[in-house]
Amino acid sequence: MSGTHELLWSIGELAERAGATVKTVRFYSDQGLLPEAARSSGGHRRYGPQALDRLRLIRSLRTLDLPLPEIRRVIEGDDAADRALESALDSRLSELGREVKVLRWREAALQLVRDCPPAQRAGRLRLIGALNTPPSTAPLAGFWRTWLPPRMPRLALAAFLEAAVPEPPDEPHPSQVLAFARLHAMTTAPCPGGRQPQPVVHRVAGPRGAALLYAGLIEAFDIAAPHLRRAHDPDPGEALDAYVAAYASAYRSRDTREFRRSLAARLSAEARLDRYWELAAIVLTPPGGSPQPTPGSADDWLREALRLDNTTAA
């Protein structure tokens, strides 16, 4: 009998052995998570080694910030306990990833303000203050939805937005924070006349033609991207053919030599969004990294390839 009593502890003794507080032990006991081995003659709780093991497990799970219902499922060992633990861990990992991303953006933003000349700090604080942390791409996507022709097919619109809207990096350099903040300011600024300027090609080709155009351009940009990554000089080839075919389909024309000459002239008169693409390239490429192509840089490369092609043919 004495050996049995030696294995039973009061709530204070259990707390001491586990390195916890009496309040913590009482809370988990009240929740039904700690098994009581017995009660004293005065009605006080007595715990055995099983309760100590259970308490250590609970505290380990709590260090992972798992909620109490998930802990209960794990320690009760039901058929779905392993799946419940995996699901809870996956959820918590996702939450931690978001928290780390927030901290990385705040750190880079602080460095950006700290390291700039004093005269620029107020302006940079205004830029950064307009951003969420981490920033949302919704204002950039909204800019393009206004800029693109109305009634574009959903899939064509989604493909263009995926290519045109740079995702904020998880671990940004201060220069990337500044570039994204400037993109945000650019795309949310009021426009003259109350709307974004529509490219001439939209008015000429109409909604259906514009949808064909942008679907074809995305294909051409994808073909050109490896050439840009390898810093190849612009030259006629598959990418240029796809580029010209996109415009030809929009204008219900054929890819002829005359069309290529007229296309080059028409493109030279189009409004440009060079500043947007310059900033997007900075967001996509950390300092010292390999330049990542954007639709803007791919378009520049293809326009030069078209110019060279026309020159050679002439």
Side-chain angles (χ1 to χ4, degrees), residues 260-311:
R260 292 196 174 204
R261 284 195 292 267
S262 65
L263 175 60
R266 183 173 291 163
L267 290 175
S268 65
E270 283 281 5
R272 302 276 292 174
L273 291 171
D274 292 336
R275 182 57 174 161
Y276 180 96
W277 300 121
E278 290 169 3
L279 293 170
I282 296 172
V283 173
L284 293 171
T285 308
S290 300
Q292 295 300 307
T294 66
S297 61
D299 191 70
D300 288 340
W301 192 92
L302 289 163
R303 287 188 185 208
E304 178 60 16
L306 179 61
R307 187 193 67 80
L308 292 172
D309 182 56
N310 286 333
T311 300

Side-chain angles (χ1 to χ4, degrees), residues 25 42 52 65 83 97 124 133 135 169 184 190 241 261 278 285 308:
V25 176
L52 178 60
D65 287 339
R83 293 194 299 274
R124 291 193 176 182
T133 306
H184 180 274
D241 291 344
R261 284 195 292 267
E278 290 169 3
T285 308
L308 292 172

Side-chain angles (χ1 to χ4, degrees), residues 11-299:
I11 192 169
E13 291 170 333
L14 176 60
E16 183 178 359
R17 287 175 180 272
T21 65
V22 171
K23 182 179 179 180
T24 297
V25 176
R26 183 174 289 112
F27 171 77
Y28 291 133
S29 186
D30 291 343
Q31 295 295 318
L33 298 177
L34 291 179
E36 296 178 17
R39 289 266 179 165
S40 69
S41 57
H44 298 294
R45 297 163 178 166
R46 291 291 182 264
Y47 301 93
Q50 183 183 2
L52 178 60
D53 292 339
R54 177 73 63 82
L55 181 55
R56 286 171 173 165
L57 174 59
I58 292 172
R59 298 189 73 204
S60 296
L61 294 172
R62 287 298 290 166
T63 62
L64 301 175
D65 287 339
L66 295 186
L68 206 60
E70 298 295 342
I71 291 177
R72 185 184 300 278
R73 294 183 65 184
V74 173
I75 64 175
E76 288 178 353
D78 59 21
D79 293 339
D82 288 341
R83 293 194 299 274
L85 178 57
E86 289 179 9
S87 175
L89 291 174
D90 288 342
S91 176
R92 184 56 187 149
L93 283 171
S94 296
E95 292 173 8
L96 286 174
R98 288 190 291 270
E99 292 171 11
V100 169
K101 187 173 181 178
V102 167
L103 292 175
R104 293 295 188 195
W105 271 85
R106 288 178 179 171
E107 179 185 36
L110 289 171
Q111 292 173 348
L112 175 67
V113 176
R114 180 197 63 188
D115 297 340
C116 75
Q120 297 180 11
R121 284 178 181 161
R124 291 193 176 182
L125 283 170
R126 283 194 296 272
L127 282 171
I128 294 169
L131 293 178
N132 295 326
T133 306
S136 169
T137 58
L140 280 65
F143 168 85
W144 285 111
R145 285 191 175 95
T146 303
W147 191 85
L148 292 167
R151 300 185 301 281
M152 273 188 68
R154 181 175 57 83
L155 292 179
L157 175 62
F160 184 85
L161 291 178
E162 182 179 359
V165 177
E167 284 294 327
D170 290 341
E171 299 185 13
H173 185 271
S175 62
Q176 293 174 294
V177 172
L178 180 59
F180 198 94
R182 286 173 170 163
L183 274 178
H184 180 274
M186 174 183 175
T187 54
T188 56
C191 296
R195 65 182 181 85
Q196 304 292 352
Q198 296 295 317
V200 174
V201 68
H202 294 176
R203 297 193 294 271
V204 174
R208 182 179 179 279
L212 291 173
L213 171 64
Y214 286 106
L217 288 180
I218 293 300
E219 179 183 355
F221 295 159
D222 287 343
I223 298 171
H227 296 284
L228 273 76
R229 292 192 183 97
R230 298 184 180 96
H232 291 170
D233 291 334
D235 59 42
E238 182 184 4
L240 178 60
D241 291 344
Y243 185 70
V244 175
Y247 281 100
S249 65
Y251 286 101
R252 297 179 176 85
S253 182
R254 293 184 301 108
D255 180 2
T256 64
R257 178 54 53 193
E258 178 57 32
F259 180 80
R260 292 196 174 204
R261 284 195 292 267
S262 65
L263 175 60
R266 183 173 291 163
L267 290 175
S268 65
E270 283 281 5
R272 302 276 292 174
L273 291 171
D274 292 336
R275 182 57 174 161
Y276 180 96
W277 300 121
E278 290 169 3
L279 293 170
I282 296 172
V283 173
L284 293 171
T285 308
S290 300
Q292 295 300 307
T294 66
S297 61
D299 191 70

